[in-house]
Amino acid sequence: MDNSKIGALIVTYNPEVSKLLSNIKAISPQVDRVVVVDNGSINYKNIIEVTNGLNSEMINLGKNLGIAAAQNIGMSFFCIEVLIGL
């Protein structure tokens, strides 16, 4: 069971990896868990490298399901009191 109290959910689609890295670094010290849901990016391998190096998790959807579906899938990975969507 996930004992996290505050989590951050980041949905990506072909992001600038440097900006994603900055976002994860900025939010990580403020939350217990960071989950990145990728919506079928062509640069998903770079996203995996970033999330693995920063103690965050990535869910690769493999195709673009839309932001609402990605958010719903990401939220299902949390059992927490507060969720911050970025």
Side-chain angles (χ1 to χ4, degrees):
M1 177 160 169
D2 184 1
N3 292 324
S4 304
K5 298 211 182 247
I6 301 175
L9 172 62
I10 302 172
V11 175
T12 58
Y13 180 72
N14 296 324
E16 289 184 41
V17 176
S18 62
K19 289 184 180 181
L20 175 61
L21 177 62
S22 295
N23 281 341
I24 295 173
K25 283 184 176 181
I27 198 67
S28 291
Q30 302 173 56
V31 299
D32 298 310
R33 187 175 183 197
V34 177
V35 173
V36 177
V37 179
D38 183 66
N39 231 348
S41 296
I42 57 174
N43 60 344
Y44 72 93
K45 290 182 182 177
N46 301 104
I47 299 167
I48 292 170
E49 289 174 13
V50 167
T51 56
N52 285 343
L54 291 175
N55 196 25
S56 54
E57 304 167 59
M58 180 189 167
I59 302 163
N60 184 5
L61 300 180
K63 62 181 180 178
N64 190 343
L65 300 179
I67 191 164
Q71 288 172 331
N72 287 334
I73 291 166
M75 285 186 226
S76 71
F77 282 77
F78 289 95
C79 269
I80 57 175
E81 296 174 16
V82 179
L83 176 65
I84 300 167
L86 302 174

PDB file of all heavy atoms in Angstrom, residues 46-70:
ATOM      1  N   ASN A  46      13.827   9.223 -23.498  1.00  0.00           N
ATOM      2  CA  ASN A  46      14.438  10.306 -22.724  1.00  0.00           C
ATOM      3  C   ASN A  46      13.659  10.568 -21.443  1.00  0.00           C
ATOM      4  O   ASN A  46      14.244  10.863 -20.402  1.00  0.00           O
ATOM      5  CB  ASN A  46      14.512  11.590 -23.552  1.00  0.00           C
ATOM      6  CG  ASN A  46      15.316  11.421 -24.809  1.00  0.00           C
ATOM      7  OD1 ASN A  46      14.754  11.316 -25.886  1.00  0.00           O
ATOM      8  ND2 ASN A  46      16.630  11.375 -24.683  1.00  0.00           N
ATOM      9  N   ILE A  47      12.356  10.445 -21.515  1.00  0.00           N
ATOM     10  CA  ILE A  47      11.514  10.654 -20.336  1.00  0.00           C
ATOM     11  C   ILE A  47      11.790   9.562 -19.306  1.00  0.00           C
ATOM     12  O   ILE A  47      11.877   9.835 -18.111  1.00  0.00           O
ATOM     13  CB  ILE A  47      10.025  10.692 -20.730  1.00  0.00           C
ATOM     14  CG1 ILE A  47       9.766  11.849 -21.697  1.00  0.00           C
ATOM     15  CG2 ILE A  47       9.135  10.813 -19.501  1.00  0.00           C
ATOM     16  CD1 ILE A  47       8.419  11.785 -22.390  1.00  0.00           C
ATOM     17  N   ILE A  48      11.952   8.332 -19.774  1.00  0.00           N
ATOM     18  CA  ILE A  48      12.285   7.223 -18.870  1.00  0.00           C
ATOM     19  C   ILE A  48      13.602   7.507 -18.154  1.00  0.00           C
ATOM     20  O   ILE A  48      13.711   7.322 -16.938  1.00  0.00           O
ATOM     21  CB  ILE A  48      12.355   5.888 -19.636  1.00  0.00           C
ATOM     22  CG1 ILE A  48      10.968   5.479 -20.118  1.00  0.00           C
ATOM     23  CG2 ILE A  48      12.970   4.789 -18.775  1.00  0.00           C
ATOM     24  CD1 ILE A  48      10.968   4.310 -21.080  1.00  0.00           C
ATOM     25  N   GLU A  49      14.607   7.973 -18.888  1.00  0.00           N
ATOM     26  CA  GLU A  49      15.908   8.285 -18.288  1.00  0.00           C
ATOM     27  C   GLU A  49      15.777   9.353 -17.208  1.00  0.00           C
ATOM     28  O   GLU A  49      16.382   9.247 -16.141  1.00  0.00           O
ATOM     29  CB  GLU A  49      16.889   8.747 -19.363  1.00  0.00           C
ATOM     30  CG  GLU A  49      17.333   7.653 -20.293  1.00  0.00           C
ATOM     31  CD  GLU A  49      18.186   8.167 -21.442  1.00  0.00           C
ATOM     32  OE1 GLU A  49      18.636   9.325 -21.386  1.00  0.00           O
ATOM     33  OE2 GLU A  49      18.395   7.396 -22.403  1.00  0.00           O
ATOM     34  N   VAL A  50      14.990  10.388 -17.495  1.00  0.00           N
ATOM     35  CA  VAL A  50      14.805  11.479 -16.523  1.00  0.00           C
ATOM     36  C   VAL A  50      14.100  10.971 -15.280  1.00  0.00           C
ATOM     37  O   VAL A  50      14.525  11.239 -14.159  1.00  0.00           O
ATOM     38  CB  VAL A  50      14.017  12.648 -17.159  1.00  0.00           C
ATOM     39  CG1 VAL A  50      13.534  13.625 -16.114  1.00  0.00           C
ATOM     40  CG2 VAL A  50      14.880  13.362 -18.193  1.00  0.00           C
ATOM     41  N   THR A  51      13.010  10.221 -15.459  1.00  0.00           N
ATOM     42  CA  THR A  51      12.251   9.772 -14.289  1.00  0.00           C
ATOM     43  C   THR A  51      13.031   8.760 -13.466  1.00  0.00           C
ATOM     44  O   THR A  51      12.960   8.786 -12.233  1.00  0.00           O
ATOM     45  CB  THR A  51      10.886   9.176 -14.709  1.00  0.00           C
ATOM     46  OG1 THR A  51      11.089   8.122 -15.644  1.00  0.00           O
ATOM     47  CG2 THR A  51       9.995  10.241 -15.316  1.00  0.00           C
ATOM     48  N   ASN A  52      13.789   7.892 -14.099  1.00  0.00           N
ATOM     49  CA  ASN A  52      14.586   6.916 -13.349  1.00  0.00           C
ATOM     50  C   ASN A  52      15.668   7.585 -12.522  1.00  0.00           C
ATOM     51  O   ASN A  52      15.980   7.130 -11.431  1.00  0.00           O
ATOM     52  CB  ASN A  52      15.228   5.899 -14.300  1.00  0.00           C
ATOM     53  CG  ASN A  52      14.229   4.893 -14.814  1.00  0.00           C
ATOM     54  OD1 ASN A  52      13.156   4.726 -14.274  1.00  0.00           O
ATOM     55  ND2 ASN A  52      14.588   4.230 -15.891  1.00  0.00           N
ATOM     56  N   GLY A  53      16.237   8.665 -13.018  1.00  0.00           N
ATOM     57  CA  GLY A  53      17.304   9.348 -12.312  1.00  0.00           C
ATOM     58  C   GLY A  53      16.844  10.259 -11.200  1.00  0.00           C
ATOM     59  O   GLY A  53      17.654  10.747 -10.428  1.00  0.00           O
ATOM     60  N   LEU A  54      15.533  10.476 -11.092  1.00  0.00           N
ATOM     61  CA  LEU A  54      15.034  11.448 -10.116  1.00  0.00           C
ATOM     62  C   LEU A  54      14.053  10.857  -9.111  1.00  0.00           C
ATOM     63  O   LEU A  54      13.242  11.567  -8.546  1.00  0.00           O
ATOM     64  CB  LEU A  54      14.358  12.616 -10.838  1.00  0.00           C
ATOM     65  CG  LEU A  54      15.301  13.508 -11.611  1.00  0.00           C
ATOM     66  CD1 LEU A  54      14.506  14.562 -12.385  1.00  0.00           C
ATOM     67  CD2 LEU A  54      16.284  14.193 -10.685  1.00  0.00           C
ATOM     68  N   ASN A  55      14.102   9.573  -8.901  1.00  0.00           N
ATOM     69  CA  ASN A  55      13.230   8.944  -7.920  1.00  0.00           C
ATOM     70  C   ASN A  55      11.761   9.257  -8.200  1.00  0.00           C
ATOM     71  O   ASN A  55      11.007   9.620  -7.304  1.00  0.00           O
ATOM     72  CB  ASN A  55      13.612   9.360  -6.489  1.00  0.00           C
ATOM     73  CG  ASN A  55      12.983   8.439  -5.463  1.00  0.00           C
ATOM     74  OD1 ASN A  55      12.676   7.287  -5.769  1.00  0.00           O
ATOM     75  ND2 ASN A  55      12.779   8.930  -4.263  1.00  0.00           N
ATOM     76  N   SER A  56      11.389   9.166  -9.460  1.00  0.00           N
ATOM     77  CA  SER A  56       9.998   9.330  -9.857  1.00  0.00           C
ATOM     78  C   SER A  56       9.624   8.131 -10.731  1.00  0.00           C
ATOM     79  O   SER A  56      10.481   7.334 -11.091  1.00  0.00           O
ATOM     80  CB  SER A  56       9.802  10.652 -10.604  1.00  0.00           C
ATOM     81  OG  SER A  56      10.685  10.749 -11.691  1.00  0.00           O
ATOM     82  N   GLU A  57       8.358   8.015 -11.020  1.00  0.00           N
ATOM     83  CA  GLU A  57       7.881   6.866 -11.784  1.00  0.00           C
ATOM     84  C   GLU A  57       7.284   7.336 -13.107  1.00  0.00           C
ATOM     85  O   GLU A  57       6.724   8.417 -13.183  1.00  0.00           O
ATOM     86  CB  GLU A  57       6.787   6.136 -11.005  1.00  0.00           C
ATOM     87  CG  GLU A  57       7.207   5.691  -9.627  1.00  0.00           C
ATOM     88  CD  GLU A  57       6.017   5.277  -8.798  1.00  0.00           C
ATOM     89  OE1 GLU A  57       5.291   4.356  -9.222  1.00  0.00           O
ATOM     90  OE2 GLU A  57       5.808   5.884  -7.750  1.00  0.00           O
ATOM     91  N   MET A  58       7.359   6.489 -14.115  1.00  0.00           N
ATOM     92  CA  MET A  58       6.754   6.806 -15.399  1.00  0.00           C
ATOM     93  C   MET A  58       5.799   5.717 -15.819  1.00  0.00           C
ATOM     94  O   MET A  58       6.097   4.528 -15.693  1.00  0.00           O
ATOM     95  CB  MET A  58       7.814   6.986 -16.476  1.00  0.00           C
ATOM     96  CG  MET A  58       7.213   7.307 -17.829  1.00  0.00           C
ATOM     97  SD  MET A  58       8.443   7.270 -19.120  1.00  0.00           S
ATOM     98  CE  MET A  58       7.406   7.277 -20.554  1.00  0.00           C
ATOM     99  N   ILE A  59       4.662   6.141 -16.317  1.00  0.00           N
ATOM    100  CA  ILE A  59       3.683   5.243 -16.917  1.00  0.00           C
ATOM    101  C   ILE A  59       3.645   5.614 -18.393  1.00  0.00           C
ATOM    102  O   ILE A  59       3.304   6.748 -18.740  1.00  0.00           O
ATOM    103  CB  ILE A  59       2.287   5.430 -16.285  1.00  0.00           C
ATOM    104  CG1 ILE A  59       2.337   5.186 -14.780  1.00  0.00           C
ATOM    105  CG2 ILE A  59       1.267   4.522 -16.967  1.00  0.00           C
ATOM    106  CD1 ILE A  59       1.142   5.719 -14.035  1.00  0.00           C
ATOM    107  N   ASN A  60       4.009   4.686 -19.252  1.00  0.00           N
ATOM    108  CA  ASN A  60       4.031   4.935 -20.689  1.00  0.00           C
ATOM    109  C   ASN A  60       2.755   4.365 -21.294  1.00  0.00           C
ATOM    110  O   ASN A  60       2.582   3.147 -21.342  1.00  0.00           O
ATOM    111  CB  ASN A  60       5.272   4.301 -21.322  1.00  0.00           C
ATOM    112  CG  ASN A  60       5.393   4.611 -22.793  1.00  0.00           C
ATOM    113  OD1 ASN A  60       4.612   5.367 -23.351  1.00  0.00           O
ATOM    114  ND2 ASN A  60       6.385   4.022 -23.421  1.00  0.00           N
ATOM    115  N   LEU A  61       1.870   5.231 -21.769  1.00  0.00           N
ATOM    116  CA  LEU A  61       0.605   4.775 -22.345  1.00  0.00           C
ATOM    117  C   LEU A  61       0.771   4.220 -23.759  1.00  0.00           C
ATOM    118  O   LEU A  61      -0.104   3.510 -24.241  1.00  0.00           O
ATOM    119  CB  LEU A  61      -0.418   5.914 -22.351  1.00  0.00           C
ATOM    120  CG  LEU A  61      -0.775   6.490 -20.976  1.00  0.00           C
ATOM    121  CD1 LEU A  61      -1.800   7.606 -21.118  1.00  0.00           C
ATOM    122  CD2 LEU A  61      -1.276   5.408 -20.040  1.00  0.00           C
ATOM    123  N   GLY A  62       1.865   4.565 -24.422  1.00  0.00           N
ATOM    124  CA  GLY A  62       2.126   4.028 -25.745  1.00  0.00           C
ATOM    125  C   GLY A  62       1.431   4.752 -26.879  1.00  0.00           C
ATOM    126  O   GLY A  62       1.841   4.653 -28.027  1.00  0.00           O
ATOM    127  N   LYS A  63       0.367   5.460 -26.559  1.00  0.00           N
ATOM    128  CA  LYS A  63      -0.329   6.268 -27.561  1.00  0.00           C
ATOM    129  C   LYS A  63      -1.046   7.402 -26.840  1.00  0.00           C
ATOM    130  O   LYS A  63      -1.220   7.373 -25.623  1.00  0.00           O
ATOM    131  CB  LYS A  63      -1.300   5.445 -28.385  1.00  0.00           C
ATOM    132  CG  LYS A  63      -2.431   4.820 -27.583  1.00  0.00           C
ATOM    133  CD  LYS A  63      -3.326   3.995 -28.481  1.00  0.00           C
ATOM    134  CE  LYS A  63      -4.460   3.359 -27.679  1.00  0.00           C
ATOM    135  NZ  LYS A  63      -5.362   2.602 -28.527  1.00  0.00           N
ATOM    136  N   ASN A  64      -1.445   8.396 -27.607  1.00  0.00           N
ATOM    137  CA  ASN A  64      -2.098   9.567 -27.027  1.00  0.00           C
ATOM    138  C   ASN A  64      -3.565   9.263 -26.762  1.00  0.00           C
ATOM    139  O   ASN A  64      -4.371   9.159 -27.684  1.00  0.00           O
ATOM    140  CB  ASN A  64      -1.960  10.769 -27.970  1.00  0.00           C
ATOM    141  CG  ASN A  64      -2.396  12.061 -27.321  1.00  0.00           C
ATOM    142  OD1 ASN A  64      -3.075  12.057 -26.314  1.00  0.00           O
ATOM    143  ND2 ASN A  64      -1.995  13.166 -27.896  1.00  0.00           N
ATOM    144  N   LEU A  65      -3.890   9.119 -25.490  1.00  0.00           N
ATOM    145  CA  LEU A  65      -5.269   8.849 -25.077  1.00  0.00           C
ATOM    146  C   LEU A  65      -6.008  10.118 -24.683  1.00  0.00           C
ATOM    147  O   LEU A  65      -7.183  10.063 -24.344  1.00  0.00           O
ATOM    148  CB  LEU A  65      -5.286   7.864 -23.901  1.00  0.00           C
ATOM    149  CG  LEU A  65      -4.667   6.497 -24.156  1.00  0.00           C
ATOM    150  CD1 LEU A  65      -4.728   5.650 -22.895  1.00  0.00           C
ATOM    151  CD2 LEU A  65      -5.347   5.797 -25.315  1.00  0.00           C
ATOM    152  N   GLY A  66      -5.308  11.251 -24.712  1.00  0.00           N
ATOM    153  CA  GLY A  66      -5.896  12.516 -24.279  1.00  0.00           C
ATOM    154  C   GLY A  66      -5.528  12.805 -22.838  1.00  0.00           C
ATOM    155  O   GLY A  66      -5.204  11.898 -22.067  1.00  0.00           O
ATOM    156  N   ILE A  67      -5.586  14.085 -22.494  1.00  0.00           N
ATOM    157  CA  ILE A  67      -5.130  14.483 -21.156  1.00  0.00           C
ATOM    158  C   ILE A  67      -6.029  13.939 -20.050  1.00  0.00           C
ATOM    159  O   ILE A  67      -5.539  13.513 -19.004  1.00  0.00           O
ATOM    160  CB  ILE A  67      -4.960  16.009 -21.048  1.00  0.00           C
ATOM    161  CG1 ILE A  67      -4.237  16.338 -19.743  1.00  0.00           C
ATOM    162  CG2 ILE A  67      -6.279  16.732 -21.192  1.00  0.00           C
ATOM    163  CD1 ILE A  67      -3.664  17.723 -19.666  1.00  0.00           C
ATOM    164  N   ALA A  68      -7.345  13.917 -20.278  1.00  0.00           N
ATOM    165  CA  ALA A  68      -8.248  13.435 -19.223  1.00  0.00           C
ATOM    166  C   ALA A  68      -7.999  11.962 -18.915  1.00  0.00           C
ATOM    167  O   ALA A  68      -7.937  11.570 -17.742  1.00  0.00           O
ATOM    168  CB  ALA A  68      -9.701  13.663 -19.635  1.00  0.00           C
ATOM    169  N   ALA A  69      -7.846  11.149 -19.942  1.00  0.00           N
ATOM    170  CA  ALA A  69      -7.574   9.718 -19.731  1.00  0.00           C
ATOM    171  C   ALA A  69      -6.232   9.535 -19.033  1.00  0.00           C
ATOM    172  O   ALA A  69      -6.111   8.730 -18.104  1.00  0.00           O
ATOM    173  CB  ALA A  69      -7.596   8.967 -21.059  1.00  0.00           C
ATOM    174  N   ALA A  70      -5.225  10.298 -19.469  1.00  0.00           N
ATOM    175  CA  ALA A  70      -3.900  10.198 -18.843  1.00  0.00           C
ATOM    176  C   ALA A  70      -3.962  10.595 -17.372  1.00  0.00           C
ATOM    177  O   ALA A  70      -3.343   9.953 -16.517  1.00  0.00           O
ATOM    178  CB  ALA A  70      -2.898  11.061 -19.592  1.00  0.00           C
TER     179      ALA A  70
END
